[in-house]
């Protein structure tokens, strides 16, 4: 039987002034939405929200029982987390440009058209003269998921970038106010460079940008650099971010945060940083530096933030509008948290910064994390100890992107696998307000006995006023504020295995439409 562990997040201190994030029980199944077909693996790389509240998730779908072949997947979810059956076939579109292709980023325009940036992977020739070729592409879909044949060839524009037999891949896409499409990625053979490509609304190159629609950018001479993300300022200038090998470090293979600002015509903005570029070393180590900026965003006040990894630890840096470090943030303008996982998603909301990631638990599961930081870079302790919330939805949970909805709720996207090796695309939605909607009805309070307490192996819940047909939600929260179990069960007597839990005092919460009961038990 499939084990589904759904986590509801509480503030670890349970302080009266805390603002915990909760899995939004009004979304999907207790806060999570999935797209799953038996035997097919699905991964979401990016998400975007439409004006009507629907969410489009894009990524990769692996052929049933054959991970050697994969295709671009585009799925759309209704605001309540259900698959939108009016989109594509049963809510999804499989975009095939070859036998191996994947969409990395998505954007939508004001008319609801959907733009996709992806990469096709080919093997050309035969041994010993085998060449691995990457062919970037941009695709355009109508609002119902069909291809927009006015774009490129049958809705797909395959890009011819400068490095045919080296690296040439896309990672980011945006639709500009002038209806130009901008994609960003990495190109190069002997030396990797960041690249931007500007396209017209029909998929042709915008020749007024860079060199015939293409701009290439080297962060340091004779050093590799890669683009992971980009953002558009309100003045139309473009921020590109990622990583660069740094000649200024002891080992030339070491990498640092790298960012540049590009004018709307594709030229470097020399008023930004040093000749348009900013390099930031976050790692405290001098002999090994592995700093990569995965995400870039512009705050409402114009400040610029990068988030990513510093030798597998979470790293965030913030800059003033001219590219200089914001010394009011963290230490010298950046923070690094060894206990928080690398940022795979990054948003700004109500003056705070949020990242998402995945972390290995003591029990072996892979859990979703959301890290929150105040405006000065300090962890938001009102959310959880050390500012990091952890939840377990399935056995293994991966996050690759996040967004803030118009109503302030936070959505993450990635993939999952459960204890029966079922896999699929996974969205989770969090809210700052308790979504259960339960009222304090003392006349319907749940009556339950919990024993033994303290407990070693199995905790028994015995109900005295509960109908056998009325299931209850059962949540267990660890002493550190981490949800270790959230499941729905029914029965007059329920037995829960707890031998795997570490010693300590746990919070047990039981609720359904009739009422709620919260108590504690001791695991010894």
């Amino acid at each position: 039987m499939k084990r589904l562990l759904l986590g509801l997040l509480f503030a670890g201190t349970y302080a009266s002034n805390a603002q915990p994030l909760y899995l939004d029980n009004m979304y999907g199944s207790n806060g999570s939405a999935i797209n799953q077909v038996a035997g097919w693996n699905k991964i979401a790389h990016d998400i975007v929200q439409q004006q009507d509240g629907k969410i489009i998730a894009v990524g990769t779908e692996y052929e049933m029982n054959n991970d050697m072949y994969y295709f671009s997947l585009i799925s759309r979810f209704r605001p309540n987390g259900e698959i939108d059956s009016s989109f594509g076939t049963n809510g999804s579109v499989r975009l095939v440009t070859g036998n191996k292709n994947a969409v990395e980023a998505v954007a939508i325009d004001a008319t609801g058209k959907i733009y996709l940036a992806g990469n096709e992977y080919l093997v050309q020739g035969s041994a010993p003269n085998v060449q691995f070729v990457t062919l970037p592409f941009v695709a355009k879909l109508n609002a119902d998921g069909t291809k927009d044949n006015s774009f490129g060839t049958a809705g797909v524009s395959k890009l011819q970038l400068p490095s045919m037999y080296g690296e040439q891949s896309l990672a980011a896409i945006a639709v500009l106010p002038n209806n130009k499409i901008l994609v960003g990625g990495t190109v190069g053979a002997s030396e990797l460079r960041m690249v931007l490509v500007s396209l017209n609304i029909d998929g042709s190159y915008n020749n007024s940008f860079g060199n015939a629609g293409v701009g290439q950018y080297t962060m340091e001479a004779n050093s590799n650099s890669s683009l992971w993300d980009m953002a558009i300022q309100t003045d139309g200038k473009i921020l590109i971010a990622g990583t660069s090998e740094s000649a200024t470090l002891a080992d030339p293979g070491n990498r640092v945060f790298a960012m540049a600002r590009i004018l709307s015509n594709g030229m470097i903005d020399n008023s930004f940083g040093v000749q348009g570029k900013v390099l930031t070393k976050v790692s405290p180590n001098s002999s090994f530096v592995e700093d990569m900026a995965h995400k870039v965003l512009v705050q409402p006040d114009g400040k610029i933030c990068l988030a990513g990894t510093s030798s597998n630890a979470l790293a965030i840096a913030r800059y003033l509008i001219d590219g200089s470090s914001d010394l009011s943030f963290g230490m010298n303008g950046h923070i690094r948290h060894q206990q928080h996982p690398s940022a795979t998603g990054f948003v700004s909301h109500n003056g705070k910064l949020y990242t998402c990631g995945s972390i290995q638990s003591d029990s072996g599961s892979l859990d979703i994390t959301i890290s929150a930081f105040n405006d000065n870079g300090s962890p938001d302790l009102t959310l959880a100890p050390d500012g990091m919330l952890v939840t377990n939805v399935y056995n293994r949970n991966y996050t690759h992107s996040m967004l803030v909805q118009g109503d302030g709720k936070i959505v993450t996207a990635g993939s999952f696998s459960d204890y029966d090796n079922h896999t699929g695309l996974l969205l989770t939605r969090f809210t700052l307000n308790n979504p259960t909607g339960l009222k304090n009805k003392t006349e319907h309070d749940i009556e339950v006995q919990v024993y033994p307490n303290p407990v070693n192996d199995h905790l028994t819940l015995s109900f005295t006023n509960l109908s056998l047909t009325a299931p209850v939600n059962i949540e267990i929260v660890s002493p550190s504020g981490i949800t270790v179990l959230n499941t729905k069960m029914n029965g007059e007597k329920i037995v829960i295995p707890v031998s795997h839990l570490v010693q300590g005092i746990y919070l047990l919460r039981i609720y359904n439409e009739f009422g709620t009961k919260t108590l504690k038990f001791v695991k010894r």
Side-chain angles (χ1 to χ4, degrees):
M1 181 178 69
K2 182 170 70 174
R3 290 181 60 189
L4 178 59
L5 302 180
L6 291 166
L8 182 64
L9 294 170
F10 293 87
T13 59
Y14 304 104
S16 59
N17 63 343
Q19 278 191 302
L21 273 175
Y22 296 87
L23 271 174
D24 184 356
N25 290 338
M26 303 301 292
Y27 185 74
S29 174
N30 295 317
S32 67
I34 67 171
N35 182 1
Q36 178 188 39
V37 177
W40 292 78
N41 295 337
K42 302 173 187 285
I43 301 172
H45 298 147
D46 195 18
I47 50 174
V48 67
Q49 186 177 32
Q50 297 182 168
Q51 292 181 357
D52 60 4
K54 294 180 181 179
I55 288 180
I56 297 172
V58 303
T60 311
E61 181 178 43
Y62 291 85
E63 188 174 279
M64 186 180 296
N65 303 320
N66 189 350
D67 284 351
M68 292 298 294
Y69 294 95
Y70 46 89
F71 313 98
S72 299
L73 176 70
I74 305 96
S75 296
R76 189 163 71 189
F77 295 81
R78 298 182 185 277
N80 63 359
E82 295 177 351
I83 286 286
D84 181 8
S85 59
S86 68
F87 183 79
T89 302
N90 298 321
S92 293
V93 172
R94 180 192 291 176
L95 181 67
V96 180
T97 64
N99 59 9
K100 296 181 181 181
N101 58 89
V103 175
E104 296 294 335
V106 59
I108 55 176
D109 66 16
T111 68
K113 300 279 188 176
I114 303 163
Y115 295 84
L116 310 166
N119 304 293
E120 180 180 342
Y121 303 92
L122 302 176
V123 178
Q124 294 186 344
S126 57
N129 299 313
V130 174
Q131 296 280 0
F132 296 91
V133 181
T134 306
L135 298 177
F137 65 86
V138 179
K140 183 179 180 181
L141 305 181
N142 297 309
D144 62 358
T146 58
K147 291 181 181 178
D148 184 342
N149 291 323
S150 69
F151 185 86
T153 302
V156 179
S157 177
K158 295 191 176 184
L159 305 184
Q160 298 296 322
L161 297 184
S163 180
M164 183 63 179
Y165 291 107
E167 172 77 13
Q168 52 170 0
S169 60
L170 298 182
I173 188 169
V175 180
L176 304 182
N178 61 2
N179 291 324
K180 304 295 184 185
I181 299 98
L182 190 69
V183 292
T186 304
V187 296
S190 59
E191 180 180 312
L192 299 182
R193 302 174 299 279
M194 295 187 184
V195 65
L196 290 176
V197 180
S198 179
L199 302 177
N200 297 311
I201 197 169
D202 62 356
S204 61
Y205 286 89
N206 170 25
N207 291 324
S208 66
F209 183 92
N211 181 10
V214 180
Q216 300 182 63
Y217 313 97
T218 299
M219 296 297 108
E220 284 198 65
N222 303 316
S223 296
N224 292 318
S225 55
S226 301
L227 185 151
W228 287 74
D229 196 19
M230 67 181 182
I232 312 301
Q233 295 185 169
T234 55
D235 60 3
K237 294 180 180 179
I238 306 153
L239 295 166
I240 56 176
T243 187
S244 175
E245 294 177 355
S246 179
T248 61
L249 298 176
D251 186 337
N254 285 345
R255 294 186 282 185
V256 296
F257 275 17
M259 177 173 55
R261 190 160 71 191
I262 312 301
L263 301 174
S264 58
N265 62 2
M267 300 296 106
I268 284 275
D269 179 6
N270 288 318
S271 69
F272 184 78
V274 178
Q275 296 183 332
K277 306 165 189 176
V278 174
L279 301 176
T280 303
K281 176 180 173 291
V282 179
S283 174
N285 198 322
S286 58
S287 59
F288 178 75
V289 181
E290 192 77 8
D291 298 340
M292 292 179 284
H294 295 155
K295 299 293 179 180
V296 56
L297 63 80
V298 182
Q299 294 185 171
D301 60 3
K303 292 181 179 179
I304 302 161
C305 300
L306 300 179
T309 182
S310 175
S311 302
N312 296 319
L314 171 63
I316 301 176
R318 191 166 74 187
Y319 309 85
L320 303 178
I321 195 168
D322 63 356
S324 60
S325 293
D326 180 4
L327 300 182
S328 69
F329 185 82
M331 181 177 295
N332 298 321
H334 54 76
I335 58 176
R336 182 179 185 274
H337 283 270
Q338 187 67 46
Q339 303 305 317
H340 295 229
S342 304
T344 56
F346 191 33
V347 296
S348 173
H349 179 55
N350 285 344
K352 296 182 180 181
L353 296 172
Y354 296 87
T355 67
C356 66
S358 301
I359 193 170
Q360 191 84 24
S361 72
D362 293 338
S363 63
S365 65
L366 193 69
D367 300 336
I368 294 172
T369 65
I370 294 183
S371 299
F373 298 92
N374 298 309
D375 186 63
N376 63 0
S378 62
D380 181 9
L381 301 181
T382 67
L383 231 57
D386 199 31
M388 183 174 70
L389 299 166
V390 182
T391 192
N392 179 278
V393 182
Y394 291 86
N395 178 36
R396 301 191 69 80
N397 309 271
Y398 303 86
T399 57
H400 299 118
S401 183
M402 70 190 306
L403 60 78
V404 179
Q405 294 187 163
D407 59 5
K409 293 178 180 178
I410 296 174
V411 180
T412 69
S415 61
F416 76 92
S417 64
D418 62 21
Y419 288 93
D420 293 327
N421 293 321
H422 297 138
T423 64
L425 183 153
L426 173 68
L427 271 63
T428 54
R429 190 167 78 184
F430 298 85
T431 177
L432 287 170
N433 299 312
N434 189 333
T436 61
L438 297 177
K439 298 179 180 179
N440 293 324
K441 298 182 178 180
T442 56
E443 66 271 21
H444 295 297
D445 193 20
I446 294 177
E447 296 178 9
V448 60
Q449 291 182 326
V450 177
Y451 59 88
N453 192 4
V455 59
N456 290 321
D457 299 319
H458 294 86
L459 189 69
T460 300
L461 281 58
S462 179
F463 299 92
T464 58
N465 70 335
L466 189 67
S467 168
L468 296 181
T469 60
V472 293
N473 295 282
I474 301 171
E475 300 158 7
I476 297 178
V477 182
S478 73
S480 61
I482 298 174
T483 300
V484 295
L485 174 67
N486 182 332
T487 188
K488 183 177 287 188
M489 304 178 72
N490 69 302
E492 185 177 358
K493 184 176 292 187
I494 296 173
V495 178
I496 302 173
V498 295
S499 59
H500 63 288
L501 299 180
V502 299
Q503 295 180 351
I505 301 174
Y506 288 77
L507 184 73
L508 173 67
R509 186 167 181 264
I510 307 162
Y511 67 89
N512 63 9
E513 65 269 27
F514 300 114
T516 183
K517 189 75 171 183
T518 302
L519 40 81
K520 295 178 180 180
F521 70 89
V522 177
K523 172 63 173 65
R524 61 186 177 186

